[in-house]
Amino acid sequence: MVDATASFDGNRVAANEASARPVRADRDRWIATASGGTGLADYVPFCASALFAPAQSASWVSNWAAATGADMVVATLSCDGRPALSLALEIVRRGPFKVARFAGGRHANGNFAAADPRFLPAIDGQAIRSMFKAIARARPDIDLISLERLLPDLDGVANPLAALPGFPSPNLALAVDLGGGFDALLSRASGKRKRKKHRSQTRKFEAVGTFRRIEARTPEEVDRLLDAFLSMKEVRFAKMGIANVFGDRQIRDFFRALFADALAEEKPPFLLHGLDVAGKLRAVTGSSRSGKRLICEFGAIAEDDLSFTSPGDFLFFDNIQEACELGFDVYDFSVGDEPYKRLWCDIEVQHFEVLAPLTLKGRVLAAGLRQGAHAKAFIKNNPTVWKLTKMLRRKAAGQAAPVAAEDDS
């Protein structure tokens, strides 16, 4: 069985060192620094031995900066010259405000800043606030640091940013406990019905032609699967009446580079799967490996003559089965509460958010964002209101400019 804990990049080293004796550090030994995009030169090697979530990996951050030309700032907390925690943030304009956020914006979910786990027990709120002060000194034009969709812990290691005042994210994340393997999972999750449906889908696919599950292993396959996914998503968002968060060319270039670069790794940290039926891709998923978790970052299905067969469900069945075989503890559907996820999931993950104003303008924006998050949480946690909201969104599609997408759900 594959050791999923040693899955990729710095998490392999961090997992081996997490149980090592913690490093003690007095407050007066912490040094916080911040620099512009040049700080990425130090961030990349730090990730080689750090613990981090996929959207904070060196590959994600570097490819995002290269594809989008993002204005970056990197803040690092060090002790005796050894980096302990690092924040690689992009600076974006939001009306009259400038906001520093995790690279990737809404595409970055389940966030956990790059950290040396041996230092984590000693890092407190005061140490982290010193990083924010360093950012303010390096970039006095930034009004607010907005750290969204933060994981409470990563494979049992508490998120150091939880030491700061925060509030729950408006969107739940859903996941599946893979303990005991696939048969054990099915015994807890209507397995007889799922197997019957999977066999029925198989027969329907065979009636059309040959079918196969594909994992992109070459740049050409990455292009094919991503092109299909982006086309599927464009149709889907148009029907929902929301803006296509994958529509910008720079974002498409980012994902293309991210998944292509991952092929050079022995165990790619980012991977694409597709269901091909009769020579056409009918469903596509994009995933990331993170320690003991396999995370579905996105997915889509083709709205065609086979959409009634639920090809997305079929692909998830196979993806989850393989995750069990590879020794993962959790299959994470990421942010968004949808019925197709609830068919599998038995874990709810409540992300949290931290807002750190650096200016008076930033305080005003932070207050508005908190209120907005509370309003979104009310809407999405009320089934009747959320169903009505989605219905109105669909009716408005094509009659007005699409509203901004909050998430993929």
Side-chain angles (χ1 to χ4, degrees), residues 128 191 207 336 338 343-344 352 400:
I128 297 171
E338 289 294 324
L343 292 174
W344 289 97
F352 69 99

Side-chain angles (χ1 to χ4, degrees), residues 383-395:
T384 301
V385 175
W386 183 224
K387 183 177 180 180
L388 177 62
T389 300
K390 291 195 288 187
M391 181 185 71
L392 293 175
R393 250 181 3 190
R394 287 192 295 268
K395 286 187 175 181

Side-chain angles (χ1 to χ4, degrees), residues 8-9 43-44 47 52-66 254 257-263 265 269-270:
F8 72 96
D9 287 351
Y43 185 80
V44 171
C47 284
F52 49 81
Q56 282 69 58
S57 68
S59 176
W60 179 291
V61 171
S62 298
N63 276 304
W64 182 266
F254 158 69
L258 182 72
F259 286 99
D261 286 355
L263 298 175
E265 301 287 334
F270 299 96

Side-chain angles (χ1 to χ4, degrees), residues 297-312:
E297 299 286 353
F298 55 70
I301 65 169
E303 301 205 17
D304 57 17
D305 57 314
L306 286 183
S307 60
F308 77 97
T309 65
S310 302

